Amino acid sequence: MTDRDPRGGDALDRELDEALALAKDQGPYPRRAETWAEGPVHRDDAEDAEDADHADALGNPENRGNPENRGNPEKPEWTDPWTTVPRDRAPRARRPSGAPARHRPATTWPDARAIAARAPRKAVAKAAPLARPLAEALGHVLATPLTALTDLPSFDTSAMDGWALAGPGPWRLPAGEQSILAGHAESDPLPDGHAIRIATGARIPPGATAVLRTEHGTAGDGWLYAAPGHPVTPGQDIRPRGQECRSGDLLLPAGALVTPVILGLAAAAGYDELPTVPRPRVEILVLGDELLREGLPHDGRIRDALGPMLAPWLRALGAEPTVTRRLGDDAEALYAAVAGSPADVVLTTGGTAAGPVDHVHPTLRRLDAELLVDGVAVRPGHPMLLARLAPEKHLVGLPGNPLAAVSGLLTLAEPLLRTLTGRPAATPCPAPLAAAVQGHPRDTRLVPVVFRGDEALPLRFNGPAMLRGVAVADGLAVIPPGGAGRGSEVEVLDLPWSAAWPSAAGGPGDPAVGPWHLL
């Protein structure tokens, strides 16, 4: 067991932090204090490999310590890879005398989300609303409150097919088959003691006091009679003008997400178009020479899983993805792409650590960017970052591993875009866990879950490079440092589509779900 540093980090975490520290210099770009380490600098998925080691230790009986200790609460059943130095790791070099040894710890997960939400300096309310026709407004956010442009209904209407009545009965009927239909102009006044056929939604004639439903009346010999047991009361089955709202009434506040029902309400209230918040433009830069756009993996190269996923995900978060570009590991190409991007947000994948082909930090230094978040205490996704490129332009750096990138989306991109689009923060949705989840000693964990009744069921495939679990998940459970036991209430982050798609994961027999010791 190695000595632990003052902030509680172990050797592997310290090595990652030190690698990041050595990549930074003085200037507008915040710099970690220098530390000293021996050995190669790891790429941004180094911490994800650590997560995989931890999952392997939990999932494989061989890694759980002495079998004689299993079931004994006095003795641990497994060796924690976060607090144990791998046997084949080289000893660390000593720090030269007088060299600084301070660290800047990773931002906590709640703080990182709060920083991302506060990052935009320009209030959404100051942005000029964009008028969109109703047919194009679905999924956008109202820039101003929605007030009624007319009374609803705008005149007294019949709530039923039947007869419009004036006064008490019986009632005299007009000669012929006269009737009042929906969509017709106002008819002549109805004399007292008279009745006339009327359709649902038709305008009530002046003088009418009630409507008698077709099934409650009997007509014959020019007269109309109410059926026994169905007396007529004044105002019966009439929707009075302004029953739903009066002109000028507030229907919805600014910031409301435009749904299909809201489109219908807006149309009924007299709108042809809606004032919406302009969607922030996002340019996606997928980095990595190892990524393939098609075909099967070969020769050490793998398929790009993030390129096809990010644009629709960002669109679901209220952004307007402009382009997805694949740059490979090219420092100059990345610098030119970020410096020349007209987007409000640049989203990168991979390259956020300090390896020889990790060019995000050097690019931000060259651009004199303001680093707002540099590493988050969350697993997976630790090496994510958020930077301000200009007063109203930001960069979100996601890790390269797929589930780690999803973690970055929910941690940094979602709060940032929520503020840029004027959406309110979702109300936290706690749920009890259907099974215990092992936690990281210091960091938050995000674990895919499905809902089974009132409980959140953790899914098995939750490694940083895996999408199989989150593909069938209803959300990601927020597991606090140290873990959470069965029945513990934890926050569950919704996925943009979770309410629209039935979960494909089954019970404990489903390979995506159990057995629990593989969590």
Side-chain angles (χ1 to χ4, degrees):
M1 187 74 70
T2 61
D3 294 334
R4 306 183 68 83
D5 68 14
R7 71 180 179 93
D10 58 29
L12 191 56
D13 276 346
R14 289 201 304 269
E15 184 172 88
L16 177 63
D17 288 341
E18 290 159 5
L20 291 172
L22 292 172
K24 296 175 173 60
D25 58 9
Q26 299 287 356
Y29 191 90
R31 184 172 79 97
R32 294 178 191 256
E34 290 183 357
T35 53
W36 298 83
E38 182 180 63
V41 176
H42 294 276
R43 296 201 61 175
D44 59 26
D45 51 358
E47 62 91 13
D48 294 334
E50 182 185 358
D51 280 347
D53 290 342
H54 178 67
D56 186 60
L58 289 174
N60 295 322
E62 294 81 0
N63 295 335
R64 292 189 171 204
N66 190 334
E68 296 178 359
N69 294 337
R70 295 177 190 169
N72 185 347
E74 302 298 326
K75 299 180 180 180
E77 292 189 354
W78 53 275
T79 301
D80 186 349
W82 279 306
T83 58
T84 304
V85 177
R87 295 179 180 177
D88 59 351
R89 185 172 297 280
R92 292 171 44 78
R94 292 185 177 274
R95 176 172 52 89
S97 175
R102 292 176 291 113
H103 285 271
R104 185 180 70 180
T107 306
T108 66
W109 184 78
D111 286 349
R113 284 173 57 83
I115 291 170
R118 296 193 305 264
R121 291 175 172 173
K122 184 176 180 181
V124 172
K126 296 180 181 179
L130 179 61
R132 295 183 182 274
L134 294 185
E136 301 175 8
L138 182 66
H140 290 265
V141 173
L142 291 178
T144 61
L146 190 71
T147 56
L149 301 180
T150 182
D151 297 341
L152 284 181
S154 55
F155 46 79
D156 294 347
T157 62
S158 175
M160 294 289 170
D161 290 332
W163 294 270
L165 314 174
W171 303 270
R172 183 176 292 279
L173 294 170
E177 296 294 330
Q178 294 185 35
S179 60
I180 302 174
L181 302 177
H184 288 200
E186 185 175 80
S187 58
D188 295 334
L190 189 64
D192 188 45
H194 284 67
I196 187 172
R197 272 282 185 182
I198 193 167
T200 301
R203 189 170 187 148
I204 296 292
T209 56
V211 169
L212 180 65
R213 302 183 185 189
T214 299
E215 61 269 26
H216 294 165
T218 302
D221 298 329
W223 289 89
L224 173 67
Y225 302 88
H230 295 283
V232 176
T233 58
Q236 175 179 292
D237 288 328
I238 292 177
R239 292 186 64 221
R241 176 175 181 168
Q243 182 186 52
E244 186 171 359
C245 66
R246 289 289 185 180
S247 179
D249 282 355
L250 175 65
L251 301 178
L252 292 166
L257 182 66
V258 179
T259 64
V261 175
I262 289 177
L263 292 176
L265 176 62
Y271 286 87
D272 299 319
E273 56 187 21
L274 291 175
T276 62
V277 176
R279 285 189 166 188
R281 299 162 300 163
V282 181
E283 182 170 349
I284 301 166
L285 304 179
V286 179
L287 312 180
D289 290 338
E290 73 277 14
L291 301 177
L292 296 169
R293 298 184 62 175
E294 59 184 15
L296 295 175
H298 61 83
D299 299 326
R301 303 185 67 190
I302 60 174
R303 280 294 297 271
D304 169 25
L306 295 179
M309 179 178 76
L310 290 177
W313 196 313
L314 293 168
R315 193 171 290 111
L317 294 177
E320 190 62 52
T322 58
V323 66
T324 298
R325 301 173 60 187
R326 293 165 174 84
L327 300 182
D329 295 316
D330 186 323
E332 291 304 318
L334 177 60
Y335 173 79
V338 175
S341 175
D344 303 297
V345 177
V346 176
L347 192 83
T348 63
T349 70
T352 53
V357 292
D358 293 332
H359 303 304
V360 175
H361 281 97
T363 295
L364 294 176
R365 286 197 297 273
R366 290 177 66 184
L367 293 170
D368 289 336
E370 179 184 0
L371 197 58
L372 304 177
V373 175
D374 186 12
V376 179
V378 65
R379 306 294 170 130
H382 175 81
M384 64 182 75
L385 62 82
L386 172 65
R388 182 178 289 123
L389 302 173
E392 301 306 326
K393 182 175 180 179
H394 297 83
L395 181 142
V396 176
L398 303 180
N401 273 324
L403 188 56
V406 168
S407 175
L409 279 173
L410 296 178
T411 302
L412 298 178
E414 187 276 332
L416 176 71
L417 294 173
R418 185 199 328 132
T419 300
L420 290 173
T421 56
R423 299 188 186 195
T427 302
C429 179
L433 288 172
V437 178
Q438 176 67 40
H440 186 277
R442 300 169 306 281
D443 296 351
T444 299
R445 282 191 71 198
L446 300 183
V447 177
V449 295
V450 291
F451 288 114
R452 289 293 177 264
D454 295 331
E455 293 184 315
L457 188 65
L459 297 177
R460 174 185 177 190
F461 297 104
N462 53 41
M466 298 180 178
L467 289 177
R468 186 174 174 183
V470 73
V472 297
D474 293 319
L476 268 68
V478 181
I479 307 300
R486 180 174 183 175
S488 299
E489 294 262 336
V490 297
E491 181 181 354
V492 178
L493 303 175
D494 286 334
L495 300 175
W497 56 86
S498 59
W501 295 92
S503 175
D510 189 305
V513 177
W516 306 123
H517 71 271
L518 293 181
L519 286 171

